Amino acid sequence: LGYQLPQNFNGPYLALSLQDFWRRWHMTLSRWLRDYLYIPLGGSRKGRAKTYRNIMITMLLGGLWHGASWTFVLWGGIHGTALSAERFARERLPGFRLPAWAAWLVTFNVVCVAWVFFRAPDLHTAFAVLGGLGLGGPSPLVTLPLVFLVVASVAIQAVPREWWRDAEAWLVARPVAVQGIAVG
């Protein structure tokens, strides 16, 4: 039909900062939030305090865009707070950089904690899930299959795009039965 759909995700769980995560995650939504909320609010043009305010308003409204629930507000608040904290640290400690593995670990965990609020039906459930993640002792939610699934999900994003294209070309050249088995 002639439509060109823009790329919408680019290995977001490989991000080394929340800012990098939002450049990789739901890129069309991120651009919309930037262009129609953050920049009209003044972006970063009117001083530090207003920049942090604009980040928080943008992320809180981004949360409300997903649904009218306190869980979405908290999700937006977590992202807004983390984005503001990163910006603050970059401004105050310009030469300081965490090692890549530590930056990834912090980013990944902040995103995962935020996802708990995003996916939970209510705040009580969200806090119960967080409590079950080992904050009160051994975690019933962290099992070996779950750890494997998380590691595999993150690792699969590191596979070079050319490999995916080559695999797709190989699969398309196979008989339909082979394609069905491979996809299944």
Side-chain angles (χ1 to χ4, degrees):
L1 297 173
Y3 290 105
Q4 286 287 43
L5 298 177
Q7 180 183 359
N8 208 20
F9 297 91
N10 183 18
Y13 293 111
L14 301 177
L16 300 181
S17 70
L18 259 289
Q19 185 179 37
D20 186 28
F21 174 82
W22 278 99
R23 285 186 181 132
R24 296 165 171 260
W25 175 265
H26 209 326
M27 292 153 48
T28 53
L29 173 62
S30 298
R31 284 191 292 267
W32 191 92
L33 291 170
R34 180 196 64 206
D35 294 347
Y36 294 100
L37 290 176
Y38 181 69
I39 292 173
L41 285 168
S44 60
R45 295 185 309 268
K46 297 184 179 181
R48 283 190 183 127
K50 288 188 178 176
T51 297
Y52 299 136
R53 179 203 67 185
N54 296 342
I55 291 170
M56 285 303 296
I57 290 171
T58 300
M59 295 313 296
L60 290 169
L61 290 174
L64 282 173
W65 180 83
H66 285 88
S69 167
W70 285 112
T71 57
F72 293 116
V73 171
L74 237 57
W75 173 83
I78 290 168
H79 279 279
T81 301
L83 286 164
S84 296
E86 280 181 2
R87 186 178 199 98
F88 180 83
R90 274 195 313 273
E91 291 169 354
R92 300 287 185 191
L93 307 166
F96 177 76
R97 294 287 180 264
L98 287 174
W101 67 268
W104 174 82
L105 190 63
V106 169
T107 302
F108 184 76
N109 281 286
V110 169
V111 168
C112 287
V113 166
W115 276 128
V116 170
F117 289 98
F118 189 89
R119 299 301 306 160
D122 54 54
L123 288 176
H124 182 275
T125 304
F127 287 115
V129 167
L130 289 175
L133 289 175
L135 300 176
S139 173
L141 298 176
V142 180
T143 62
L144 189 57
L146 181 64
V147 170
F148 174 76
L149 181 64
V150 169
V151 169
S153 298
V154 171
I156 205 164
Q157 293 183 56
V159 174
R161 290 179 196 265
E162 308 83 59
W163 292 13
W164 288 113
R165 282 193 288 275
D166 293 346
E168 181 182 8
W170 177 87
L171 185 60
V172 168
R174 303 293 149 239
V176 173
V178 173
Q179 291 179 26
I181 291 169
V183 170

